[in-house]
Amino acid sequence: MDTMKAITVYAPNDAKMEDVKKPVAVDDMMVIKVYRTGVCATDLSIYSGESSFIRSGEITLPCRFGHEWAGVVESVGEKVTKFKPGDRVYSDNFVSCGKCDACKEGKYMECKDTRSVGTIKCWEGCYAEYMYMPERHVFLLPDELSMDEGALIEPASIAYDAFKGANLDSSKTAVVIGTGAIGMISAWLAKYYGAGKVILVGRNDSKMEISKKVGVDYTINNRNENAVERVKELTNGKGADMIIETSGAESAFLQCIDMVARFGRISVVSFYEKDLNNIPIDKLVHGCVSLVGAAGCDGNAQAVCDIMCKNPIKLTPIISHHVPFENSLDVFENLSKYNNEKIKIMIDFE
Ligand SMILES: [Zn+2]
Ligand SMILES: [Zn+2]
């Protein structure tokens, strides 16, 4: 068999599953059979054409997308030393050039010519039966982690950035806004890092119920409760020591400013896709609040994998759907069918 099935986005709302050439492992490259692919909001925006990266020209169509995955090594090139067929693996979400001075020294994150898996300067992505990856960006998936967890490492590595430099402890309250996968993972991380109270603000009761399985202590439904007042109540008037804003809604960002504690921190892990006007910036200044942007740095994958192994709370309850690869286009073509319950949709290849 020298072909495999893969999905390519050709134009907005036009993606095809087709037979493409199956890669062959040479040198330091490996061919890895994909077992799980997570559907990301970024994938949905690439499919619909709404992605800001398409507008900026950083993603061009056609694009073989998909960047959240785990699989099993099928074959390795002759220079591969750390892996053999049958190894369970996950990967970085970028591929370095392998040739520049930084790469030669093993400082792949300093490479100036990286390509992102399935997104910017697209390295061929994981809505495909096989991935083609250089050994230097692939890692062994520990036995205690499932393939589902392996495919959650990439989105978790985005949320992980929101916590860099934060110091949570049992006296602190973390508030997460948004019940998508990044919101759920942020709540899971806040608990792992020791926040005394983790509060989730959302609009969907069934998703908020699920959040309690990944570490959330209190939920606030933003539709019928005043989130700012509730957070103040739950913190004896102090406000949230750390807020992780994952919703991308301007109104939510304004709520952050009203519910953050003095000397608190707001980590923003979402794109708004527009400039925000009328931000009461003086409130941030007067409150000595840190405002941190977090979009996921390269090189977080192994640290996140380590947390998954150590954290007694499993992240897998956030997987709301399993869809077989043969039917995976349905997720894009009939998205509204999934929307109410959707947190993380997982594509299964078995
Ligand atoms: Zn993603
Ligand atoms: Zn390089």
Side-chain angles (χ1 to χ4, degrees):
M1 269 283 275
D2 50 7
T3 66
M4 65 171 185
K5 297 233 178 288
I7 300 179
T8 302
V9 180
Y10 283 94
N13 301 308
D14 176 17
K16 291 186 182 68
M17 183 184 291
E18 46 198 6
D19 288 315
V20 299
K21 202 169 170 304
K22 184 181 162 185
V24 177
V26 292
D27 291 340
D28 64 340
M29 300 300 292
M30 326 204 322
V31 173
I32 304 162
K33 181 161 177 26
V34 177
Y35 272 57
R36 291 286 188 283
T37 287
V39 179
C40 178
T42 301
D43 302 338
L44 300 171
S45 73
I46 294 172
Y47 174 78
S48 70
E50 285 158 323
S51 167
S52 59
F53 298 126
I54 291 182
R55 276 182 272 132
S56 69
E58 291 165 286
I59 294 177
T60 53
L61 303 180
C63 172
R64 276 253 300 272
F65 66 159
H67 57 273
E68 304 179 0
W69 69 285
V72 173
V73 175
E74 174 166 280
S75 56
V76 300
E78 64 282 4
K79 290 184 188 154
V80 170
T81 58
K82 290 191 228 115
F83 299 94
K84 58 182 187 315
D87 285 343
R88 301 160 76 246
V89 295
Y90 65 101
S91 80
D92 278 325
N93 57 6
F94 73 105
V95 175
S96 58
C97 79
K99 297 181 197 122
C100 70
D101 290 344
C103 282
K104 281 184 190 145
E105 288 172 41
K107 297 173 181 164
Y108 307 121
M109 281 157 55
E110 290 170 28
C111 174
K112 294 282 185 289
D113 194 18
T114 59
R115 294 169 65 188
S116 297
V117 175
T119 60
I120 293 168
K121 293 206 280 175
C122 186
W123 182 271
E124 285 177 342
C126 56
Y127 290 98
E129 290 177 296
Y130 296 91
M131 285 292 282
Y132 191 54
M133 290 293 291
E135 176 177 32
R136 63 184 177 280
H137 289 298
V138 177
F139 311 104
L140 265 186
L141 185 66
D143 288 342
E144 60 262 44
L145 296 185
S146 64
M147 283 290 169
D148 284 336
E149 288 171 297
L152 289 172
I153 289 174
E154 198 282 338
S157 74
I158 307 294
Y160 176 80
D161 257 354
F163 292 84
K164 281 185 183 160
N167 42 19
L168 287 171
D169 60 50
S170 59
S171 72
K172 305 264 174 70
T173 298
V175 170
V176 176
I177 303 185
T179 53
I182 297 294
M184 295 287 181
I185 296 166
S186 298
W188 176 80
L189 283 168
K191 198 68 179 178
Y192 173 76
Y193 284 121
K197 286 193 189 101
V198 178
I199 303 171
L200 182 73
V201 179
R203 302 166 70 83
N204 179 313
D205 284 326
S206 67
K207 291 183 193 178
M208 288 199 287
E209 230 12 76
I210 289 168
S211 75
K212 291 177 181 161
K213 296 183 186 164
V214 294
V216 169
D217 301 303
Y218 302 90
T219 59
I220 300 172
N221 190 324
N222 224 351
R223 282 186 203 277
N224 47 38
E225 291 176 274
N226 182 321
V228 174
E229 276 175 20
R230 275 294 285 148
V231 167
K232 289 271 167 75
E233 271 169 37
L234 289 166
T235 56
N236 300 319
K238 184 185 177 199
D241 299 289
M242 179 175 183
I243 305 177
I244 304 99
E245 206 301 86
T246 73
S247 77
E250 182 171 358
S251 56
F253 183 73
L254 292 170
Q255 279 184 327
C256 292
I257 295 172
D258 286 332
M259 64 169 73
V260 69
R262 191 161 164 75
F263 301 109
R265 164 179 168 134
I266 302 171
S267 292
V268 180
V269 205
S270 52
F271 287 107
Y272 297 81
E273 309 282 4
K274 62 177 181 181
D275 292 340
L276 302 189
N277 296 319
N278 304 314
I279 301 295
I281 186 75
D282 286 352
K283 282 192 187 172
L284 295 179
V285 177
H286 185 245
C288 303
V289 171
S290 304
L291 178 61
V292 180
C297 290
D298 296 336
N300 290 342
Q302 286 176 286
V304 169
C305 179
D306 197 42
I307 292 173
M308 271 190 192
C309 293
K310 286 184 190 149
N311 194 341
I313 301 175
K314 287 282 178 191
L315 193 50
T316 39
I318 74 167
I319 298 172
S320 54
H321 300 75
H322 283 274
V323 176
F325 180 55
E326 309 85 83
N327 302 343
S328 54
L329 274 177
D330 186 60
V331 174
F332 296 94
E333 291 167 352
N334 300 300
L335 181 63
S336 58
K337 206 167 96 182
Y338 300 84
N339 262 350
N340 271 343
E341 306 296 321
K342 170 171 71 69
I343 303 175
K344 176 59 72 184
I345 301 176
M346 203 56 86
I347 307 296
D348 295 357
F349 289 73
E350 293 304 292

